[in-house]
Amino acid sequence: MNKMNMLCSFLVLLFGAAACISLPTGLKQHRLRVVDAESGAHLAAAAVTLHYFPSSPEAPEPNPPRATADAQGVVIVRSKAEPAIWQVQAPGYIEQRLASSKGEAPPRYAATATEEVDGVIHLYRMPMPALTIQMDEAYTGPLTINLHPAPGFDFLLVDEISTVFAAVDPQANYIQEASGRRAFTATASTEGQVDLLVTPLLFDIQTHQLQVADDTDVLPFRDIANPQDTARGVWGIVNEDDKRIHHQIRLFVGTLDDYLRALKTE
């Protein structure tokens, strides 16, 4: 038996047959664990699907690479050194989508690496969270939601200007206010400022999960491209670059004329 076969036999005894499967040239292997974000329970059968640019979860290639977690929540993902969206799904849990640039695992996962795994994927149970911002009926102007990391989390630098929101403490608590809570409210100041303490549950919210309400009603999100959208409402969207670079969600409350005047002064 040559040295290579002896090494392979030894690895099989330690880690199983998968240890001696050679990877095709250019692929990177990631050993990750998928868990319930609030309880820490391992999520068996969770699936990780990779969508390489220019494909996406909405427009996937015919047979995107896909890996499924075992009974211990461990999933082995083999990725090409190309930009990709990592789509993570498990029955009864909120789907997660994070990006990687060169075949590495998303930085949020890598930040939680242990001796056993290259990172941990935390998924929250359904339903999806909803955030309501309460503000004065008379207010017109910018609405800025400042995203402050909850204890154990922080913004980690990934390039010269951009950051990733991730756990920086192995004991970070992923529970937002109370286990299972999915409806949240915050009140804007008279200057349109909101300070929000966030775990990944709220940091990852999208526009359709956010509503702004004054003393009379919920304000609709307006679209500057729609000529009928001129009345008081909310302008802008939850922008991922704003979250990653400025650590904020930046919107505007007022009529179309108010919004256009504000844009001219920026």
Side-chain angles (χ1 to χ4, degrees):
M1 180 180 291
N2 61 33
K3 291 183 178 179
M4 183 60 71
N5 287 337
M6 291 176 62
L7 175 61
C8 186
S9 298
F10 178 68
L11 291 174
V12 168
L13 288 174
L14 287 179
F15 304 112
C20 281
I21 299 175
S22 60
L23 290 177
T25 303
L27 288 186
K28 298 181 180 181
Q29 179 167 294
H30 314 276
R31 178 182 171 86
L32 305 168
R33 175 168 276 123
V34 189
V35 303
D36 181 298
E38 294 170 304
S39 71
H42 300 161
L43 296 185
V48 179
T49 306
L50 300 186
H51 301 275
Y52 294 105
F53 181 83
S55 67
S56 70
E58 287 77 22
E61 59 185 44
N63 295 296
R66 183 180 175 91
T68 304
D70 63 17
Q72 298 304 310
V74 173
V75 57
I76 305 298
V77 180
R78 299 177 176 91
S79 63
K80 296 187 291 186
E82 299 178 11
I85 295 173
W86 292 52
Q87 180 184 25
V88 187
Q89 299 167 300
Y93 284 80
I94 300 170
E95 177 185 294
Q96 188 177 94
R97 299 180 186 182
L98 294 177
S100 67
S101 58
K102 297 180 181 178
E104 76 283 359
R108 184 185 294 180
Y109 303 160
T112 58
T114 69
E115 292 182 357
E116 295 182 349
V117 293
D118 302 316
V120 181
I121 301 171
H122 293 81
L123 296 185
Y124 287 93
R125 283 189 176 275
M126 294 289 284
M128 298 180 73
L131 173 63
T132 299
I133 303 298
Q134 298 282 352
M135 63 189 323
D136 191 281
E137 181 184 356
Y139 180 77
T140 294
L143 172 60
T144 305
I145 304 172
N146 301 299
L147 304 172
H148 301 288
F153 297 91
D154 208 343
F155 292 100
L156 304 180
L157 196 65
V158 294
D159 55 38
E160 293 182 354
I161 63 170
S162 186
T163 60
V164 60
F165 184 78
V168 293
D169 182 341
Q171 303 304 315
N173 186 350
Y174 284 74
I175 295 173
Q176 183 82 41
E177 295 189 12
S179 182
R181 179 170 294 177
R182 297 295 181 264
F184 305 92
T185 60
T187 302
S189 71
T190 54
E191 293 79 29
Q193 296 286 321
V194 179
D195 289 310
L196 199 63
L197 196 68
V198 296
T199 66
L201 181 67
L202 277 188
F203 181 82
D204 289 342
I205 64 168
Q206 304 298 311
T207 305
H208 67 277
Q209 297 166 262
L210 173 64
Q211 66 179 13
V212 179
D214 60 20
D215 299 333
T216 60
D217 203 356
V218 173
L219 300 176
F221 275 84
R222 301 293 189 184
D223 184 353
I224 197 171
N226 185 346
Q228 296 182 347
D229 274 355
T230 60
R232 176 177 167 83
V234 183
W235 304 87
I237 60 172
V238 177
N239 185 294
E240 294 304 313
D241 285 340
D242 277 350
K243 289 200 281 187
R244 291 186 300 107
I245 298 172
H246 303 291
H247 312 159
Q248 295 176 329
I249 296 172
R250 300 190 291 184
L251 305 168
F252 186 91
V253 176
T255 65
L256 175 60
D257 287 341
D258 295 327
Y259 184 45
L260 293 176
R261 279 194 296 269
L263 291 176
K264 289 179 181 179
T265 61
E266 289 184 354

